[in-house]
C-alpha cells in the first residue's frame, strides 16, 4: 500500500445499535455497578436507582449525578419521596470531570473498543459487562482519583 493511503477494511457495521448502560460508583469503597437498559431515559434511571437501593439496603445513600433530563422531573421527585434514604445531588453542568462514573466509562470504552472487532453486538455487550466484573476495588478507586 502506498504511503498516505488509508486501508479499506470491510466490516459488519452495527452503527445503528446503541448500548445504553446506567452505572454507579462508590469511589470510597471501590465498588460499582451497571444496569443495561433499552433506552437512556427516566425509566432506565429509575431502574438503576432501584438496583442501588437493593444493594445498599441499610444505609443512607447520597448520589451525585449529572444534569441529564432523565435525572430530574416529577417521576424522580415522587420516587425520592418514597425512598427517603436516597438523596440525589447534581453536579454542575459541563463538568464531567467531577463525575467519577465518567472516569469508569472512559476507561471501559478504551479497554473494550480500541483495536477490537466484535462479530456481533451481543459480543460487545458481553465483553463490556465481563470487563467491569474483573475490576478490583483498588483499580476503581484509582480511576476515581481516590488513591
Amino acid at each position: 500500500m502506498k504511503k498516505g493511503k488509508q486501508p479499506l477494511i470491510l466490516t459488519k457495521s452495527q452503527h445503528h445499535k446503541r448500548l445504553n448502560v446506567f452505572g454507579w460508583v462508590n469511589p470510597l469503597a471501590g465498588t460499582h455497578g451497571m444496569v443495561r437498559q433499552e433506552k437512556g431515559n427516566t425509566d432506565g434511571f429509575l431502574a438503576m436507582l432501584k438496583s442501588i437501593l437493593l444493594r445498599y439496603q441499610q444505609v443512607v445513600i447520597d448520589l451525585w449525578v449529572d444534569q441529564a433530563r432523565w435525572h430530574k422531573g416529577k417521576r424522580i421527585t415522587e420516587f425520592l419521596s418514597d425512598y427517603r434514604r436516597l438523596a440525589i445531588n447534581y453536579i454542575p453542568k459541563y463538568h464531567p470531570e467531577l463525575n467519577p462514573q465518567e472516569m469508569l466509562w472512559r476507561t471501559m470504552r478504551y479497554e473494550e473498543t480500541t483495536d477490537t472487532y466484535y462479530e456481533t453486538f451481543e459480543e460487545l455487550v458481553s465483553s463490556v459487562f465481563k470487563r467491569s466484573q474483573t475490576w478490583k476495588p483498588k483499580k476503581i478507586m484509582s480511576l476515581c482519583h481516590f488513591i
Side-chain angles (χ1 to χ4, degrees):
M1 176 163 290
K2 285 186 174 182
K3 186 177 179 178
K5 290 284 187 178
Q6 213 41 8
L8 177 63
I9 301 171
L10 300 175
T11 66
K12 294 179 181 178
S13 177
Q14 298 178 19
H15 293 287
H16 61 282
K17 295 185 179 181
R18 178 180 171 91
L19 174 58
N20 293 300
V21 176
F22 285 85
W24 57 267
V25 61
N26 179 343
L28 299 175
T31 57
H32 77 108
M34 298 186 337
V35 179
R36 182 178 179 193
Q37 292 296 315
E38 186 177 326
K39 294 184 178 181
N41 59 17
T42 302
D43 291 331
F45 183 58
L46 289 170
M48 186 201 63
L49 293 178
K50 289 173 186 173
S51 74
I52 292 170
L53 287 164
L54 274 173
R55 181 172 179 128
Y56 296 99
Q57 293 185 14
Q58 303 300 319
V59 296
V60 174
I61 302 164
D62 226 4
L63 185 65
W64 291 83
V65 299
D66 62 25
Q67 296 197 38
R69 67 182 179 279
W70 51 80
H71 292 159
K72 299 178 175 184
K74 182 179 179 182
R75 291 178 59 204
I76 302 301
T77 304
E78 290 171 356
F79 183 87
L80 294 173
S81 70
D82 291 339
Y83 297 95
R84 299 232 178 245
R85 64 187 182 88
L86 173 63
I88 293 182
N89 306 283
Y90 296 97
I91 295 168
K93 288 182 180 183
Y94 311 112
H95 286 283
E97 74 279 2
L98 299 176
N99 186 349
Q101 183 62 44
E102 291 296 332
M103 312 310 173
L104 271 63
W105 292 141
R106 186 177 305 121
T107 303
M108 179 67 66
R109 281 191 300 268
Y110 177 78
E111 290 182 359
E112 285 309 304
T113 62
T114 301
D115 297 330
T116 304
Y117 172 74
Y118 295 98
E119 187 72 28
T120 67
F121 182 72
E122 288 309 315
E123 284 179 17
L124 167 67
V125 172
S126 175
S127 182
V128 165
F129 278 85
K130 282 180 185 174
R131 168 74 63 170
S132 79
Q133 293 169 358
T134 65
W135 285 357
K136 305 282 189 251
K138 189 173 183 178
K139 178 174 183 162
I140 294 168
M141 288 187 290
S142 71
L143 290 172
C144 298
H145 308 290
F146 274 75
I147 58 170

